[in-house]
Amino acid sequence: MRASSRHTKVSKAAFASIRRNAAMFLAVASLKAALRSSNLPLGGRPCLVVLIISHEQSVDIFKKAAELLLAGVRFSSRIRRGVHVHVLGPVSHGKGKAKEDSNLLALHGTSDTIIVIARSESDVPSSLAVVADAILDAPRPSSRHIRAARKLQGLPSLGDDVVGVLRRCAFSVLVPAICRGSVTAEDARRIERTSNTLISEVGPTLEELPGFDDVRPWAQLFLDDLQRWRQNEISWSDIDRGILLHGASGTGKTLFAQAFARSSRLPFVFASVSKWQSAGHLGDTLAAMRATFDFARSQQPAIVFLDELDSIGDRTKFHGDAVEYRSQIVNFLLECLDGAAGRQKIVTIGATNHPHAIDRAILRSGRIERQIELRLPGPKERADILAYHLGIEVDADVLGVANDLESWTGADLEMLARDARREARAIKRQVSIADVVASLPPLHELPHEATRRISIHEAGHAVVAHSINPLIRIALSMRRTYQKAEENPISYGSATYDGDELALPTREVLESLICRKFGGAAAEEVLLGGRSIGFAGWQGSDLETATRIAIQMVCSHGMGRNLSFYRTERSAAATDLARLPIDLRLEIAEILRVQYERALSIVKINREKIDGLASTLVAQQCLDHAMVAAVLAQHIDTSSR
């Protein structure tokens, strides 16, 4: 390199431009370190070099750095046809890009020196790789480069311990850190904690994973739109800005986001409110939030995954001394999501177990604008998930085992598969469904009394619903054996309805929904002498749902004694009942009492019908719409509507 140094000296004009920008200086330094090892472009010989930069580095910065560096180098007289810098893959989307990618090799005849920038070697076509003079990795800036960047900015030097930590930081946060007036060792460590946010590209794609039936349709539409954008058929403004995934623990919100990122081939930036807050005081927290989105902007298009988003809170529910602190965090997140600083190509995926605890402004259109619930997997999904983690095909035996695993999450099934593989390793053979059975906790069977109560409960729902609306279609199911999961409540029976959806429900319709929810408990009380805890006790239970509907009627829909508006429909959670004014609580309680009395009246008139339907359900365990209708048709409906 020294022998040809007279041909590689950067011009004064180019260096003056480079030194003014710390990011450009570091990118140029990294490029020179990579190119120096090949002795090709800066050595004065025509060549084609592929430069691999990591996801933590900015493609735009490195492209500009390469153009500026090579344009400012005094090459030997043999190079007369210029330098061409090309970004390979999905990170550059100018007009005619697809044509340029396909004809890249032809450019070798028009430019003596070609620099191709790619994210990974897997993005480099084999036809290009075999003719490239070198495929080089762009190294992180060295300690010497960091000190030189500080000196060029007229800032005091940093200690070895500080520089050592900064060297490990992502490029996007390294640059602003270098430009700070002072950086302590603790500052550097906080910056490092916020910078390493990209997940590994190793892992399953969404196409390889089973389950996720609730969110897969949205994901496929997004991936289709992303492909259209890459082909310049649509603009980025046609693509969704964000989505909130909510559901019980273990339903795979983080797993989905990671697999989705791999399928989309977009950088995946992980963050959480707790991680931001761990940076220190309020200023550090806001700086960590800014660093996350700055990092994502440097990678855009990119995906930002915000875990435990409910920790951000809801400004309408803040109280006490921390109101100002928490409000500033929410406001700053809104600023980051709005795109004023360049979020135009960032997709945000939020995850939470408690969607009602999130500030509504965060979830409005243009921010995290769609909400999808990841429910517990059904029997077929459970079989697919179990077979995937076992590495076997789905057959009748797998389906049979999965059918008894109601309320098991994807995480539960993955753990079960690990236990089964351990069983198989112990006896040195391939895993089979027999190992799953051996790994399962004991199979529980409901006693006769509980079976009878569950069947009457579900039949009560059906009869009350049919009495209110004879045109509704009802399906019932129950189970007598089950495998108990650790955290999620067991659903021993269920009633599903079809044909009663209304776009603009009236007060009468909402009251009937509450009455229908109370049908099961009312049937237990009338036919068995008292109701059990099966209709209450958890989110989504009959009582919780009925209470939430009543709160929405009074506080959101103007269906109470006055027309006051207290909260949006989505924020009207049953758990907030205790915080409402006493007059509203009494009115809500009265709505629930009246509808429970109504359900009791319907049940008392139709005892025979409920008893017959319950007996049929115990015998069959699953009744579709037609079977329920046939049983109900055997009795005359004598209830009053």
Side-chain angles (χ1 to χ4, degrees):
M1 191 66 192
R2 291 179 180 177
S4 57
S5 61
R6 60 190 181 90
H7 301 303
T8 61
K9 184 177 181 181
V10 178
S11 68
K12 290 183 178 180
F15 184 72
S17 178
I18 292 170
R19 69 177 296 170
R20 286 195 297 267
N21 187 313
M24 188 67 68
F25 174 81
L26 292 176
V28 167
S30 180
L31 277 168
K32 289 183 69 175
L35 297 173
R36 188 177 294 114
S37 64
S38 67
N39 198 29
L40 291 172
L42 303 187
R45 289 184 288 166
C47 62
L48 189 158
V49 173
V50 177
L51 185 71
I52 307 299
I53 69 170
S54 65
H55 278 307
E56 69 182 36
Q57 296 166 315
S58 169
V59 169
D60 291 337
I61 287 293
F62 273 76
K63 183 175 187 295
K64 292 175 184 176
E67 291 170 342
L68 187 59
L69 172 64
L70 298 181
V73 169
R74 294 196 293 270
F75 290 107
S76 71
S77 59
R78 287 178 293 175
I79 295 184
R80 299 176 179 177
R81 289 176 294 183
V83 174
H84 179 78
V85 180
H86 177 70
V87 176
L88 191 67
V91 289
S92 177
H93 303 278
K95 292 183 179 180
K97 170 172 171 46
K99 181 178 179 180
E100 188 179 2
D101 275 344
S102 61
N103 297 328
L104 182 58
L105 292 178
L107 294 175
H108 207 302
T110 61
S111 298
D112 284 312
T113 303
I114 299 176
I115 304 295
V116 178
I117 299 176
R119 286 291 191 186
S120 67
E121 287 196 44
S122 61
D123 288 337
V124 182
S126 57
S127 58
L128 177 61
V130 296
V131 300
D133 293 283
I135 298 179
L136 309 171
D137 291 315
R140 289 174 177 266
S142 67
S143 299
R144 183 169 59 87
H145 295 150
I146 292 174
R147 291 191 175 90
R150 291 277 296 181
K151 185 175 181 180
L152 289 173
Q153 298 298 312
L155 296 171
S157 60
L158 300 174
D160 292 343
D161 56 340
V162 175
V163 173
V165 174
L166 290 180
R167 280 201 65 197
R168 301 194 295 266
C169 293
F171 189 85
S172 59
V173 295
L174 173 62
V175 173
I178 288 176
C179 295
R180 291 179 62 170
S182 63
V183 185
T184 66
E186 181 57 32
D187 292 335
R189 285 190 288 271
R190 281 200 298 267
I191 293 169
E192 182 189 18
R193 286 197 296 269
T194 65
S195 67
N196 299 322
T197 52
L198 289 172
I199 66 164
S200 170
E201 295 185 0
V202 178
T205 64
L206 188 58
E207 293 80 7
E208 296 168 335
L209 284 178
F212 299 113
D213 291 353
D214 294 318
V215 69
R216 197 177 290 274
W218 172 86
Q220 189 56 57
L221 288 174
F222 182 95
L223 293 174
D224 291 344
D225 282 344
L226 189 62
Q227 182 61 26
R228 294 187 185 98
W229 172 73
R230 284 171 170 155
Q231 295 172 351
N232 297 310
E233 296 175 5
I234 63 174
S235 67
W236 188 267
S237 62
D238 294 320
I239 295 179
D240 282 351
R241 298 292 188 273
I243 183 173
L244 178 70
L245 304 176
H246 60 95
S249 299
T251 48
K253 295 180 283 292
T254 303
L255 177 62
F256 165 81
Q258 293 172 337
F260 174 69
R262 295 185 186 102
S263 292
S264 66
R265 293 185 293 122
L266 295 178
F268 182 89
V269 182
F270 178 89
S272 68
V273 178
S274 59
K275 183 176 180 179
W276 287 335
Q277 291 177 331
S278 69
H281 56 72
L282 178 60
D284 294 324
T285 298
L286 300 183
M289 296 170 69
R290 182 185 295 110
T292 294
F293 283 91
D294 284 348
F295 185 22
R297 275 193 295 274
S298 74
Q299 313 302 315
Q300 63 182 2
I303 294 172
V304 172
F305 180 70
L306 301 181
D307 199 13
E308 301 174 352
L309 189 56
D310 54 284
S311 299
I312 202 74
D314 183 346
R315 288 170 297 180
T316 64
K317 300 177 182 178
F318 293 164
H319 56 84
D321 297 334
V323 170
E324 183 177 355
Y325 171 86
R326 300 187 65 188
S327 295
Q328 287 193 57
I329 292 177
V330 174
N331 292 336
F332 194 78
L333 178 58
L334 294 176
E335 181 182 329
C336 293
L337 293 174
D338 272 332
R343 184 201 168 228
Q344 62 270 22
K345 292 180 183 177
I346 296 176
V347 180
T348 306
I349 300 179
T352 180
N353 297 343
H354 309 289
H356 296 294
I358 300 173
D359 195 292
R360 295 297 102 187
I362 295 173
L363 304 180
R364 76 151 174 81
S365 299
R367 291 170 180 159
I368 304 178
E369 56 194 3
R370 300 189 186 277
Q371 297 186 42
I372 296 180
E373 180 182 5
L374 294 186
R375 294 171 292 186
L376 294 174
K380 180 61 170 62
E381 282 185 284
R382 293 196 296 270
D384 291 339
I385 294 170
L386 192 57
Y388 170 80
H389 289 300
L390 290 171
I392 63 177
E393 297 294 327
V394 176
D395 57 19
D397 291 334
V398 176
L399 287 168
V401 170
N403 190 56
D404 286 328
L405 301 178
E406 184 174 347
S407 82
W408 284 52
T409 67
D412 294 329
L413 296 170
E414 182 181 3
M415 183 184 70
L416 176 61
R418 288 199 305 269
D419 292 342
R421 291 196 298 270
R422 187 180 299 112
E423 290 279 344
R425 287 196 301 271
I427 54 179
K428 298 181 180 179
R429 64 169 174 80
Q430 292 292 320
V431 69
S432 69
I433 196 64
D435 299 307
V436 175
V437 175
S439 302
L440 283 170
L443 185 67
H444 297 266
E445 183 170 358
L446 289 171
H448 173 74
E449 180 183 351
T451 301
R452 173 70 173 160
R453 182 174 293 275
I454 293 167
S455 65
I456 287 176
H457 182 103
E458 302 306 332
H461 282 307
V463 169
V464 170
H466 181 265
S467 298
I468 294 171
N469 178 11
L471 299 180
I472 194 173
R473 295 189 299 168
I474 309 161
L476 300 178
S477 66
M478 66 167 295
R479 61 191 311 106
R480 302 187 66 171
T481 60
Y482 62 93
Q483 293 285 356
K484 184 174 177 60
E486 291 297 324
E487 297 182 2
N488 300 296
I490 297 291
S491 175
Y492 300 108
S494 67
T496 57
Y497 312 94
D498 187 18
D500 66 338
E501 293 293 330
L502 292 176
L504 295 171
T506 62
R507 179 185 176 103
E508 180 182 0
V509 170
L510 294 176
E511 287 176 340
S512 294
L513 287 177
I514 295 173
C515 182
R516 189 171 80 188
K517 282 294 179 183
F518 285 150
E524 290 186 51
E525 182 169 330
V526 172
L527 276 72
L528 300 174
R531 58 180 182 262
S532 69
I533 65 171
F535 91 116
W538 68 89
Q539 187 173 355
S541 65
D542 294 337
L543 181 58
E544 189 273 338
T545 304
T547 304
R548 178 158 36 88
I549 295 172
I551 292 175
Q552 290 169 348
M553 290 172 60
V554 173
C555 299
S556 305
H557 301 316
M559 295 178 179
R561 295 192 183 100
N562 59 63
L563 295 178
S564 299
F565 181 84
Y566 289 90
R567 60 190 61 204
T568 63
E569 179 182 10
R570 287 181 177 177
S571 65
T575 52
D576 293 336
L577 181 61
R579 289 194 284 269
L580 293 173
I582 184 64
D583 58 329
L584 298 185
R585 287 155 52 191
L586 292 174
E587 187 174 358
I588 291 166
E590 179 65 11
I591 292 173
L592 297 176
R593 185 194 66 79
V594 169
Q595 294 310 310
Y596 187 72
E597 293 291 337
R598 180 185 177 192
L600 285 172
S601 299
I602 295 174
V603 168
K604 289 174 182 177
I605 296 172
N606 294 278
R607 292 184 58 143
E608 183 180 348
K609 183 182 294 188
I610 293 174
D611 194 52
L613 186 58
S615 297
T616 305
L617 180 59
V618 170
Q620 301 288 333
Q621 296 195 56
C622 186
L623 303 177
D624 60 20
H625 301 140
M627 296 171 71
V628 171
V631 174
L632 295 177
Q634 297 174 6
H635 303 80
I636 299 176
D637 191 350
T638 58
S639 66
S640 62
R641 300 182 180 83

